[in-house]
Amino acid sequence: MKNYKVGIIGATGMVGQRFATLLENHPWFTVTALAASKRSAGKTYKECVESRWAMTTPIPKAMEDMIILDAANVEEVASKVDFVFCAVDMPKDQIRELEEAYAKAECPVVSNNSAHRHTPDVPMVIPEINADHIKIIDSQRKRLGTKKGFVAVKSNCSLQSYVPAVHPLRELGCNKVLACTYQAISGAGKTFERWPEMVDNLIPYIGGEEEKSEKEPLKIWGHIEGDQIVDTDDIAITSQCLRVPVSDGHTAAVFVSFDGEVPSEEKIIETWENYKGRAQELELPSAPKQFLHYFTEPDQPQIKTARTLEHGMAISIGRLRPDTQYDMKFVCMSHNTLRGAAGGAVLLAELLCAEGYIEN
Ligand code: NAP
């Protein structure tokens, strides 16, 4: 039976709360340290989050009376855990410094932050897609001079709506993608109470999101060359990202073209339904049994069905049909705060434990 002591850096924030909730009854992970800024340090978790608890389930009982540590006291936090999850709202250069300080204290970091996504020896992993990238950790450890410590990150939540569906199509020759994303307000850390302008509204701009949606997949589909991950250059992606009045769940309308013969609709659906990644092979606790689900009804998937499918960790796809400009088009959906954020990071941590990169 695996049992790891886990810390949450940024435990008081929106993503930190989600980690606390997901880890409450986790079969492998026990939360032994909660950390945040100096403003929270010394107070109990309950005192810090009671007035800003944003989850639908209560504050985990076992964490209510835990004393928040100052995340800057790296040695103290690291001494209490086998690894940490990190989700902090700080300038990017400070996040990079903080995460490397934990790694250098021999404490692995599984990060929700974007600061290290393009560091060439930091793996950015969707466990069903590029689990093999965790091998780059050996090179990162050499650079940092560590035996156990390293940083691994999850990708942006927007692309996790469509990259999983496109991934198996690459084997069938998919080399061109146009993706329009329709993103929930929780992706901006908001609720309708806290963002009343979003009720009955749509905003056609999410700062930096289109760049991330086009660039991050190239690293995910990249390969290890020497001591770095090199982006792929065999697929072209363009995207538009819109904010829509939905609480949780990102949608993508996707158009794809293929190099050579266009596969039939039956072949594509069969490819999706049979796809298994490393997370399924290892039967990781947070992995969906089936990663990609195809819905045949013309009015499915809807965000309400997609949100609850396999505890918010599977991808819902529907409306596959030929297109006049591209070869095929379809829609897909994923839960942005579960699969796209904290849930994806927990799954990544499970992969790193199962593959021996995190030890207890
Ligand atoms: P948040 O609700 O504002 O929480 C920020 C957390 O960072 C709090 O725990 C805060 O502690 C801590 N913090 C702030 N300054 C700190 C410092 N100097 N030292 C240590 N801890 C510090 O932010 P969030 O929405 O959870 O986002 C966290 C990270 O996830 C960010 O990098 C964000 O870009 C990313 N992200 C969030 C979402 C989302 O859906 N919310 C989606 C994608 C990515 P105090 O309570 O003590 O201030």
Side-chain angles (χ1 to χ4, degrees):
M1 179 72 173
K2 294 184 169 65
N3 194 5
Y4 299 81
K5 290 180 282 175
V6 177
I8 306 172
I9 313 293
T12 51
M14 181 96 165
V15 179
Q17 293 177 22
R18 178 70 69 184
F19 276 124
T21 310
L22 285 174
L23 297 174
E24 186 179 11
N25 297 310
H26 194 281
W28 295 359
F29 302 151
T30 305
V31 175
T32 53
L34 298 173
S37 77
K38 288 188 181 10
R39 296 177 290 276
S40 305
K43 297 179 188 155
T44 65
Y45 190 48
K46 190 174 175 189
E47 278 176 293
C48 290
V49 296
E50 211 167 19
S51 61
R52 54 169 161 148
W53 188 250
M55 303 296 113
T56 50
T57 52
I59 304 170
K61 269 267 170 275
M63 296 177 214
E64 276 188 353
D65 296 325
M66 284 176 69
I67 302 293
I68 302 295
L69 304 172
D70 180 351
N73 292 338
V74 176
E75 292 291 343
E76 184 189 6
V77 178
S79 70
K80 296 179 187 299
V81 300
D82 295 316
F83 74 97
V84 291
F85 290 105
C86 188
V88 289
D89 186 16
M90 290 164 66
K92 281 199 171 57
D93 55 335
Q94 290 179 27
I95 296 181
R96 274 194 289 270
E97 231 174 87
L98 184 75
E99 292 184 339
E100 289 202 355
Y102 275 88
K104 285 179 179 163
E106 299 295 3
C107 176
V109 178
V110 179
S111 178
N112 189 80
N113 306 306
S114 61
H116 266 303
R117 285 189 196 148
H118 292 292
T119 305
D121 60 11
V122 169
M124 173 163 58
V125 179
I126 299 175
E128 285 86 351
I129 296 181
N130 61 332
D132 58 314
H133 281 195
I134 63 178
K135 292 192 196 112
I136 198 70
I137 289 169
D138 300 334
S139 301
Q140 192 196 135
R141 280 176 170 158
K142 273 193 202 132
R143 173 175 63 86
L144 297 173
T146 60
K147 284 199 168 62
K148 291 166 123 189
F150 64 86
V151 180
V153 300
K154 63 147 210 75
S155 72
N156 176 264
C157 56
S158 157
L159 64 92
Q160 294 195 46
S161 58
Y162 73 88
V163 164
V166 170
H167 178 65
L169 307 187
R170 281 166 54 74
E171 292 277 301
L172 305 178
C174 176
N175 63 354
K176 197 170 157 197
V177 179
L178 185 161
C180 295
T181 64
Y182 302 83
Q183 303 189 202
I185 61 169
S186 56
K190 297 280 175 42
T191 59
F192 285 116
E193 290 74 39
R194 283 159 55 185
W195 201 5
E197 300 90 320
M198 270 313 294
V199 176
D200 196 21
N201 196 10
L202 180 152
I203 299 178
Y205 174 70
I206 308 174
E209 204 75 352
E210 289 171 3
E211 295 78 357
K212 289 180 200 163
S213 300
E214 292 169 0
K215 197 162 177 346
E216 289 185 17
L218 305 182
K219 181 170 180 182
I220 291 168
W221 284 322
H223 64 279
I224 294 178
E225 206 173 290
D227 57 3
Q228 53 185 310
I229 295 166
V230 177
D231 288 359
T232 189
D233 59 3
D234 65 3
I235 190 160
I237 306 168
T238 183
S239 81
Q240 285 205 68
C241 301
L242 317 180
R243 187 73 71 193
V244 294
V246 164
S247 58
D248 290 307
H250 290 349
T251 299
V254 187
F255 300 73
V256 289
S257 284
F258 295 82
D259 185 19
E261 198 185 330
V262 179
S264 67
E265 288 164 59
E266 292 73 25
K267 173 75 184 160
I268 291 175
I269 293 169
E270 184 196 304
T271 304
W272 279 330
E273 299 239 300
N274 292 334
Y275 182 78
K276 280 192 191 346
R278 188 76 181 132
Q280 284 69 39
E281 282 166 21
L282 291 169
E283 298 183 2
L284 298 176
S286 303
K289 293 247 169 328
Q290 188 176 328
F291 184 36
L292 308 169
H293 290 249
Y294 188 77
F295 289 75
T296 48
E297 305 88 335
D299 63 347
Q300 292 287 348
Q302 294 180 8
I303 211 73
K304 283 188 177 173
T305 35
R307 222 182 258 158
T308 52
L309 186 72
E310 300 228 31
H311 309 285
M313 291 298 286
I315 311 298
S316 306
I317 314 172
R319 301 210 65 217
L320 175 69
R321 59 221 190 272
D323 181 54
T324 52
Q325 306 299 313
Y326 281 68
D327 292 329
M328 290 281 176
K329 56 188 168 188
F330 56 89
V331 294
C332 43
M333 296 177 184
S334 76
H335 198 305
N336 58 302
T337 61
L338 291 172
R339 163 55 70 172
V346 172
L347 185 62
L348 170 55
E350 291 167 2
L351 173 76
L352 291 161
C353 292
E355 301 283 25
Y357 281 91
I358 297 178
E359 293 167 22
N360 54 1

